[in-house]
Amino acid sequence: MRFFIKHKVLFCLFLLCLNPLFSLENTELESSFYIIPYTGSVSGKIGEYLYRTNGSLCSYLDWKETFIPLAGIKSGGKFNDFNYFISAFYKFPFKCGQMTDSDYDLSGNCFSFGQFPLHNDFKNYGLDFNFSYDFHSARFFTLSPVFQLSFRHYSFYSESGSGWILQNDNKKDVRFSHIEYMQQSYFLFTGLKAAFSYKKIDINLSFLASPLALNYSLDYHADDNSSSDNSYTSITKQITSFYSYLAAAEVKYKISENFSLLFESDFLIMLKSKGPTGLYENYYKEKCALFENPDNWNIIGQDSANSIFEAAFTIGCIFYLK
């Protein structure tokens, strides 16, 4: 599937640049500038997977964010058929959902399951740098190759949770200590945007794929029991190609020459990308025995994976400065 999408995107970009049906609409130099303050909400989930050296799953954490309020600003411009914009957004601290933590023994059976109330803290934000070039096939239709650099910073923490562990084939209800998670993702996107115009309405649809993405994450499991020291950390560093995709839909309604309303939806998808884990620090023996080697307190070189599905819905006001 990734092979098919990768080659289709590159092939379409190549044909677009050679196709004689597309020509520049304007010969005179034209430029414009705009500012868009916007607000909305975002929902989604982040999957965190840890594997043993034999490739079997040993832990899965599901971080769910539900209707987190956000605010942002986008500014950009147009110079003839060349377009650019810079966008930045911030997610407000909010009790945003729940996280579940499942651990698996060597036979693939779940032996530990916990549910945790989830919060995002003050470090959830994103940045986008977008460049495109318009090819006009008709007065109402434009097709554009797009290049975009994106950055996402996720930061969550959970309250102490409840769940169960399996002891001697019997489930035992327990309380779990809190967990903290941080993830930084860098994306290089490329793809196509199609624009349709009818009277006062403009519709933009885009689909982008990422030939290069960098991902760094840190997971800290705290031990709230002062009489023990069972806290531990896992660190993941990964480089992926064509595992991440970005789809967007925009509807603009023109109020006047200098003002429009913008309704936008964005969908960020990062498929599960299995790769080397940086390290596991301070795995305590009881858990380590079920994961790998009971005599190994620091497990290095195991595989891990991350996944993202995120949907944002926003409304903004476009102020044109010509």
Side-chain angles (χ1 to χ4, degrees):
M1 181 62 180
R2 291 189 299 105
F3 178 84
F4 175 79
I5 294 176
K6 175 174 66 176
H7 286 77
K8 282 294 183 181
V9 170
L10 296 178
F11 184 65
C12 289
L13 289 173
F14 175 74
L15 289 182
L16 180 61
C17 295
L18 297 182
N19 196 335
L21 295 176
F22 293 87
S23 60
L24 300 181
E25 187 178 65
N26 302 312
T27 56
E28 298 182 0
L29 296 179
E30 294 183 358
S31 62
S32 62
F33 181 74
Y34 61 82
I35 297 176
I36 310 174
Y38 62 89
T39 186
S41 67
V42 59
S43 299
K45 61 184 294 184
I46 294 177
E48 181 189 0
Y49 309 79
L50 299 178
Y51 297 88
R52 300 180 183 85
T53 52
N54 66 4
S56 62
L57 181 67
C58 63
S59 181
Y60 170 57
L61 282 77
D62 184 16
W63 302 80
K64 292 181 179 179
E65 49 183 3
T66 306
F67 297 111
I68 299 177
L70 66 83
I73 188 165
K74 179 190 295 186
S75 64
K78 182 180 180 69
F79 185 78
N80 274 13
D81 293 300
F82 177 76
N83 306 278
Y84 65 92
F85 72 74
I86 300 174
S87 178
F89 67 84
Y90 176 77
K91 300 177 186 177
F92 293 100
F94 197 71
K95 187 174 181 178
C96 58
Q98 73 173 14
M99 185 271 290
T100 58
D101 182 4
S102 304
D103 299 320
Y104 300 86
D105 61 21
L106 294 170
S107 300
N109 302 311
C110 183
F111 70 87
S112 174
F113 177 82
Q115 291 184 320
F116 303 77
L118 187 61
H119 302 258
N120 68 315
D121 61 19
F122 294 90
K123 300 177 182 178
N124 282 264
Y125 56 89
L127 299 170
D128 296 305
F129 302 87
N130 183 286
F131 309 91
S132 63
Y133 194 89
D134 295 339
F135 291 87
H136 305 272
S137 64
R139 181 173 298 180
F140 62 88
F141 177 69
T142 303
L143 194 60
S144 310
V146 179
F147 297 91
Q148 179 169 312
L149 299 174
S150 297
F151 171 72
R152 297 291 184 269
H153 190 287
Y154 302 93
S155 185
F156 301 102
Y157 69 93
S158 72
E159 300 174 1
S160 296
S162 61
W164 52 264
I165 60 174
L166 198 63
Q167 290 185 343
N168 300 321
D169 296 326
N170 296 315
K171 290 183 178 180
K172 178 182 178 181
D173 294 332
V174 294
R175 293 289 299 175
F176 291 96
S177 300
H178 75 277
I179 302 176
E180 300 172 14
Y181 183 73
M182 184 278 293
Q183 178 175 315
Q184 295 178 340
S185 298
Y186 303 82
F187 304 98
L188 169 63
F189 286 111
T190 184
L192 295 173
K193 178 182 71 173
F196 308 87
S197 298
Y198 179 74
K199 295 184 178 180
K200 294 184 177 183
I201 298 177
D202 294 330
I203 299 176
N204 297 329
L205 304 174
S206 62
F207 180 80
L208 311 179
S210 176
L212 179 65
L214 309 177
N215 190 71
Y216 171 82
S217 63
L218 186 149
D219 177 309
Y220 173 68
H221 282 57
D223 182 8
D224 296 333
N225 186 352
S226 59
S227 63
S228 59
D229 185 18
N230 290 333
S231 300
Y232 62 91
T233 301
S234 65
I235 300 173
T236 301
K237 300 176 183 178
Q238 293 176 321
I239 300 176
T240 62
S241 179
F242 289 98
Y243 274 86
S244 303
Y245 305 94
L246 180 64
E250 296 180 347
V251 177
K252 301 177 184 177
Y253 183 77
K254 186 176 181 180
I255 304 297
S256 67
E257 289 296 323
N258 298 317
F259 180 74
S260 295
L261 291 178
L262 173 65
F263 304 90
E264 183 173 355
S265 58
D266 298 274
F267 302 90
L268 174 62
I269 300 173
M270 186 174 78
L271 303 178
K272 185 169 65 174
S273 51
K274 189 176 179 180
T277 291
L279 54 89
Y280 299 153
E281 293 179 345
N282 298 333
Y283 260 38
Y284 53 91
K285 278 193 173 182
E286 290 80 4
K287 197 166 190 177
C288 190
L290 290 165
F291 278 12
E292 194 72 28
N293 182 350
D295 297 322
N296 186 2
W297 284 63
N298 293 289
I299 305 172
I300 301 175
Q302 293 179 256
D303 283 344
S304 66
N306 296 95
S307 64
I308 298 174
F309 176 78
E310 195 167 58
F313 301 92
T314 59
I315 181 172
C317 300
I318 308 176
F319 299 94
Y320 296 100
L321 307 174
K322 297 184 179 180

